[in-house]
Amino acid sequence: METPKINRSIKLTYIEQFQIVGEGTRHQIIREEERTDGNIYVKKLMSVVNVDMLPLSEYVKRMDVKARFLKFEEHTMTVDAAARRMGVKRENIIKSMLFVDDAGLPILGIVTGDRRVNEKKLAMACGTKKVRRANPDEVKEFTGYDVGAVPPVGHKAQIRTFLDKRVMNLDDVIGGGGEINVLLEINPTEIKRLTNGEVRDISE
C-alpha cells in the first residue's frame, strides 16, 4: 500500500532593522516566507521606512521640504471639503489612493481631485495583472494613517508610488496632511523626489 504524501507548510517572518546615519529614524525590512515541501515562496516583502512614525511635519522638516500645513476646525477628508476650505478648484486638490497588487504589496496612486484612478491603467503601469482598493486596515498598516487623512509622503512603509501626469502640471498641490482636519500644500516635484515616484497616465 502506497504511503500518502503529506504536505508540510511553515510560515516564517524575518525582520531586519537598521538606522540611516543622520536621519534619526529606524528602518525595517520585513520578509514573509512560506515553505512547503522544500520550496520557498515569498509572500510579502515590505520596507518599513518610518518604524517610529515621526509626525508628518517633523518628517517634512527633516527631509528639507518646503511645504505648508493648514489646520481647520472641520474635517477635510473629501476633495469637495478640502476645496471649500482652501477656496480652490477640485483639480488643485490631490487624492493619495492606496491599492494592493496581486502579490499583496501596496501601490499608491496620486491623481487630481477632479479625476479618479483607473485600476487597469495602474495595474499596467506597475506590471501586475490587477490591483484592488486597499481596505481601511490595510491603509493604516502600510501608510500609518487613517482613510481620509493619508498624505502623499511620509508613510510608514516604502510604497511604490505613481503620480498621474496631470499632477505634475501644477505648481503646488494640496493633499492629506496626516489628520482628518489638516491639509498639506506641497510641490509635486517634491512628492516625486520623496517617494521615488513614477509619472504615468493612471487616471480617468
Side-chain angles (χ1 to χ4, degrees):
M1 183 175 179
E2 185 178 345
T3 303
K5 184 178 179 181
I6 300 175
N7 292 323
R8 295 180 174 83
S9 178
I10 183 171
K11 291 184 178 180
L12 302 172
T13 299
Y14 302 91
I15 298 180
E16 176 185 352
Q17 182 166 290
F18 59 94
Q19 182 164 333
I20 295 179
V21 176
E23 192 168 303
T25 58
R26 291 183 297 146
H27 294 233
Q28 288 181 351
I29 300 293
I30 298 177
R31 177 187 176 94
E32 183 178 295
E33 294 181 353
E34 182 173 342
R35 300 188 177 189
T36 304
D37 291 336
N39 296 314
I40 300 176
Y41 304 93
V42 178
K43 306 294 287 185
K44 182 185 294 185
L45 181 62
M46 184 174 75
S47 173
V48 181
V49 297
N50 192 357
V51 179
D52 303 307
M53 277 305 294
L54 287 173
L56 184 60
S57 58
E58 181 64 22
Y59 169 81
V60 167
K61 182 179 178 180
R62 291 193 184 192
M63 299 305 290
D64 195 28
V65 177
K66 184 180 179 181
R68 185 166 65 122
F69 288 90
L70 305 108
K71 190 168 185 176
F72 301 87
E73 291 186 4
E74 299 180 357
H75 83 82
T76 54
M77 296 174 65
T78 66
V79 170
D80 288 335
R84 283 197 304 271
R85 304 284 181 270
M86 292 297 297
V88 299
K89 296 179 179 179
R90 299 176 81 248
E91 53 262 38
N92 293 110
I93 307 296
I94 57 169
K95 298 184 288 188
S96 301
M97 311 297 296
L98 190 71
F99 294 81
V100 178
D101 69 12
D102 49 15
L105 298 176
I107 304 291
L108 191 71
I110 300 177
V111 298
T112 53
D114 59 331
R115 300 180 70 85
R116 63 180 182 179
V117 175
N118 181 303
E119 294 186 11
K120 289 184 178 179
K121 288 183 178 180
L122 182 61
M124 185 178 297
C126 61
T128 190
K129 291 182 179 179
K130 62 181 179 178
V131 297
R132 62 169 176 82
R133 282 284 297 275
N135 62 46
D137 289 339
E138 290 169 328
V139 172
K140 185 72 172 182
E141 175 189 357
F142 290 122
T143 71
Y145 298 97
D146 294 317
V147 172
V150 177
V153 300
H155 309 120
K156 180 180 179 181
Q158 180 67 49
I159 302 174
R160 190 177 181 188
T161 299
F162 291 89
L163 296 95
D164 186 65
K165 63 181 183 180
R166 296 161 186 84
V167 173
M168 303 306 296
N169 292 333
L170 301 171
D171 292 330
D172 288 301
V173 293
I174 301 163
E179 299 178 51
I180 62 170
N181 64 334
V182 176
L183 294 173
L184 170 66
E185 186 176 40
I186 187 172
N187 189 288
T189 58
E190 292 284 28
I191 299 174
K192 184 177 183 295
R193 176 177 71 87
L194 294 176
T195 62
N196 197 27
E198 303 171 55
V199 180
R200 297 285 193 279
D201 176 12
I202 61 167
S203 71
E204 61 182 12

